[in-house]
């Protein structure tokens, strides 16, 4: 028998206000941001403001790459700012979050996710789809489920319509 724990969720247009309360039980001081380029541009300022106004430090912000590949995972795992963080915040859609979950697994760090589209389950699952450098399927990875998912419904509602399928 295999047991898989489910992620906790905060949702709604003001869910980022709950970040300090949620982080409190994890004894976190330093956070790293990793995600898709568009996701980071649209979310990180708001999330960083909440963190800094509540005494948390952001050690850096990194774009995950263009695909969920082992090379991107390895690059991020080797990044000192990622290694130095107490917790990882992952931003974006499926491939970005699949990459970030595998980084968290490799570094034995807790991950919180911030999905930007509603058409994927990556934000709250214990599986990652990984690709080869040529874009073809490589394998499945089995990271831990994210500890918490922050679903900002205003962000999801503004996603391009082709992601609502």
């Amino acid at each position: 028998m295999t047991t898989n724990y489910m992620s906790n969720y905060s949702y709604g247009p003001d869910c980022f206000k709950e970040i300090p309360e949620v982080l409190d039980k994890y004894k976190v001081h330093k956070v790293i941001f990793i995600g898709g380029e568009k996701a980071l541009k649209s979310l990180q300022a708001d999330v960083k403001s909440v963190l800094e106004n509540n005494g948390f430090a952001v050690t850096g912000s990194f774009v995950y790459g263009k695909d969920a590949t082992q090379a991107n995972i390895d690059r991020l795992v080797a990044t000192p700012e990622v290694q130095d963080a107490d917790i990882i915040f992952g931003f974006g859609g499926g491939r970005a979050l699949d990459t970030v979950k595998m980084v968290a697994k490799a570094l034995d760090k807790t991950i919180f996710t911030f999905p930007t589209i509603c058409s994927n389950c990556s934000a709250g699952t214990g599986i990652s789809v990984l690709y080869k450098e040529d874009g073809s399927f490589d394998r499945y990875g089995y990271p831990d489920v994210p500890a918490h998912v922050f679903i900002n419904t205003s962000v999801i509602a503004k996603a391009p319509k082709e992601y609502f399928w």
Side-chain angles (χ1 to χ4, degrees):
M1 183 172 152
T2 301
T3 300
N4 191 1
Y5 297 94
M6 298 296 291
S7 302
N8 290 312
Y9 292 83
S10 294
Y11 58 90
D14 297 320
C15 70
F16 296 164
K17 292 178 182 177
E18 297 178 14
I19 293 170
E21 179 183 344
V22 172
L23 280 176
D24 189 50
K25 72 177 183 177
Y26 292 93
K27 308 299 181 218
V28 170
H29 301 287
K30 297 179 285 185
V31 177
I32 188 75
F33 293 173
I34 305 172
E37 186 174 357
K38 292 180 200 172
L40 288 168
K41 283 181 183 176
S42 70
L43 297 180
Q44 74 178 344
D46 291 340
V47 174
K48 186 175 184 179
S49 176
V50 169
L51 289 169
E52 290 178 344
N53 289 336
N54 287 278
F56 299 98
V58 177
T59 64
S61 176
F62 296 92
V63 174
Y64 81 100
K66 296 286 185 196
D67 222 336
T69 64
Q70 190 62 51
N72 285 331
I73 294 164
D74 293 344
R75 174 181 53 82
L76 290 162
V77 166
T79 303
E81 294 90 342
V82 177
Q83 294 172 358
D84 189 44
D86 299 319
I87 196 167
I88 299 174
F89 279 15
F91 298 86
R95 291 181 189 223
L97 296 179
D98 283 354
T99 302
V100 181
K101 290 187 302 185
M102 294 302 291
V103 170
K105 181 70 171 177
L107 293 172
D108 195 29
K109 293 188 185 287
T110 300
I111 180 172
F112 288 0
T113 57
F114 296 76
T116 53
I117 59 175
C118 64
S119 65
N120 76 80
C121 63
S122 184
T125 62
I127 190 167
S128 291
V129 181
L130 303 175
Y131 297 88
K132 296 177 185 174
E133 293 300 317
D134 66 5
S136 63
F137 173 78
D138 184 15
R139 68 186 190 283
Y140 295 110
Y142 299 98
D144 298 328
V145 296
H148 204 94
V149 182
F150 290 91
I151 303 170
N152 186 312
T153 51
S154 294
V155 171
I156 300 297
K158 292 176 188 170
K161 66 180 181 180
E162 59 266 20
Y163 293 121
F164 287 93
W165 49 280

